[in-house]
Amino acid sequence: MKRLALVASIALACGFASAAEPTRIPADALATAATLREQALSDPTAYEFVAGLTTEVGQRLAGSINDQRGRDWVAARFRTLGFDKVWTEPVTYPRWVRHSERAEILAPFAQPLAVSALGNSPATPKGGVRGDVVAFRDFKALQEADGKSVKGKIVYIGYHMHAERDGHDYGPATAGRTGGPALAAKLGALAFVLRSAGSDNDRLPHTGVTAFPAGAAQVPAAAISNPDADLLERMLGNGKPVSLHLELDCGIDGEYTGANVIGQLNGSMQADEVIDIGGHLDSWDPGTGAIDDGAGVAIATGAAHLISLLPQRPRRSIRVVAFANEEAGMIGGKAYAAAHKDELARHILGAESDFGAGRVWRLSSKVKPEALGAVDQIMQVLGPLGVERGPNGSAHGGDFGAMGEAGMALLDLNQDGTRYFDWHHTANDTLDKIERKDLNQNVAVYAVFAYLAAQAEGDFGSAPVAPAPAKAP
């Protein structure tokens, strides 16, 4: 009772209606969720899904031939697994293509480099570019640079990313990747090279997207592997000029229309209200897209499939979304939000899995105060899986972020990412990096939360929920 009183007082302080009732989950639903949790720990569906996707399709670079193959494969698997409704929604974006890439140190000591073009990078002129290197420790240092020191040179940013469970060092590492090439172009550089945004010591470069403002100058941009970055920095440390040769055959090749692939289990009582789960279907092309993000789509699919096997569907619908082209800026997520903006109030709660297949260790939320008690009830069932309660108000939602910005409630089910950035965006993103037990723990977490949210009495979000249409008797 004290908890309910506290929630009510918080609701009043935050401006919510005084008559709002706390969201709650019935006791029988909690018992069913506990059964789902145990079943998920040995269910093969998610592993078979990601194994099939990476074996039968492989890499799924947005706009490539495998983009369509991947969509067809997932839609067919959704139907095989018994989803009540399967459909696609179009997503249009510029198509970036990669043909080849090569880099080498010319002086003071000739050495080949393991290199990968960054997404959205233009090609070099035929024969490549050659120039002296000007080095910066991080993106901030480049922002503070004198343009005279950059003009006519190849800019190098050497931020060294470290492994962390929550992956928080990825932000500083990618600041240079996303913004560095455009700034280097503005300052008159010939090209841009980055120490890979990754925590490994393998001689495999990490690709990833960069961004050029519309109409702004562009330069060829690429990442080199961490050992090659070490090599380059040793030469730079000798105090002698270091020159590079960079040759990239890549660039934007028109416009492409792909699609988000959606599978839904229809609710038994409030079918027009939706619990959203999913991952992104596209991947970068060096690997097979197992951890980024075949695993995420597989986790959501496995959770929904387990729920579909219950004797009765939950009250609300559960929707799995395999998003298009997350890698170029969550384009599929933004398209999904635009397509469903008029029904936002009926999207009750969402969560995306997009951080590999490490065990979920924390649940963070972005729900209204009246729903905190229901989140506590969900945590009761998740506790045996080793999941901790994180803060409220901090969930970002990944591809569901645009829906969250518009008012949909969100959960972030934070995975252990200690090894994730060893393999992320590299040729090492392959099925062998996925541990079945860890993957199944994720499925258990998603099955529990999705089912309980679908059974909850009351909503979770800040968007007002309109009365559901009257049901025929």
Side-chain angles (χ1 to χ4, degrees), residues 18 27 39 47 129 134-135 139 171 191 193 199 208 265 284 311 322 324 339 349 352 361 371 376 395 400 440:
S18 59
Q39 292 173 336
Y47 189 84
V129 295
V134 56
F139 182 53
V193 174
S199 51
L265 305 180
W284 288 108
L349 187 62
E352 183 189 31
W361 63 277
D376 288 343
F400 290 118
N440 280 358

Side-chain angles (χ1 to χ4, degrees), residues 59 98 116 205 207 283-289 425-430:
Q59 68 84 11
R98 182 203 311 274
S116 181
T207 190
S283 75
W284 288 108
D285 45 327
T288 60
H425 293 184
T426 75
N428 255 339
D429 182 358
T430 48

Side-chain angles (χ1 to χ4, degrees), residues 2 35 47 51 73 99-100 110 114 127 134 139 151-152 189 205 220 261 281 322 346 349 354 360 395 407 415 453 467:
K2 289 181 179 179
T35 300
Y47 189 84
W73 191 96
H99 297 299
S100 64
V134 56
F139 182 53
K151 189 173 182 179
V261 184
L281 181 55
R346 301 204 178 281
L349 187 62
D354 183 19
V360 176
Q415 294 157 289

Side-chain angles (χ1 to χ4, degrees), residues 24-26 29 265-275 307 312-318 450-458 471:
R24 61 176 296 276
I25 298 171
L265 305 180
N266 293 333
S268 60
M269 297 175 63
Q270 296 161 252
D272 56 336
E273 295 185 3
V274 177
I275 307 303
I307 294 169
Q312 183 177 3
R313 290 281 196 267
R315 294 170 59 181
R316 296 184 175 94
S317 297
I318 295 174
Y451 176 76
L452 292 179
Q455 290 290 79
E457 297 172 356
K471 303 289 184 182

Side-chain angles (χ1 to χ4, degrees), residues 217-264:
Q218 300 184 8
V219 292
I224 59 175
S225 74
N226 279 309
D228 286 289
D230 293 340
L231 172 68
L232 176 62
E233 290 175 17
R234 288 197 300 272
M235 292 194 194
L236 288 165
N238 287 334
K240 297 179 181 179
V242 176
S243 61
L244 292 184
H245 171 224
L246 179 68
E247 188 170 0
L248 307 179
D249 184 2
C250 58
I252 300 296
D253 182 19
E255 200 169 65
Y256 178 87
T257 298
N260 294 326
V261 184
I262 303 169
Q264 180 168 299

Side-chain angles (χ1 to χ4, degrees), residues 361-448:
W361 63 277
R362 182 177 64 187
L363 179 153
S364 302
S365 59
K366 185 180 179 182
V367 303
K368 65 183 184 180
E370 295 92 341
L372 290 173
V375 175
D376 288 343
Q377 289 182 290
I378 293 171
M379 285 299 304
Q380 290 174 20
V381 187
L382 295 182
L385 296 171
V387 181
E388 305 170 6
R389 181 72 170 98
N392 187 48
S394 63
H396 302 288
D399 277 294
F400 290 118
M403 293 286 283
E405 289 174 5
M408 185 176 79
L410 299 171
L411 296 183
D412 280 351
L413 301 168
N414 305 128
Q415 294 157 289
D416 187 334
T418 305
R419 297 296 310 279
Y420 180 69
F421 290 111
D422 289 353
W423 312 310
H424 171 261
H425 293 184
T426 75
N428 255 339
D429 182 358
T430 48
L431 183 65
D432 57 295
K433 309 309 184 301
I434 295 176
E435 295 289 341
R436 289 180 187 240
K437 289 183 178 180
D438 293 345
L439 185 74
N440 280 358
Q441 188 258 11
N442 279 262
V443 175
V445 170
Y446 273 79
V448 166

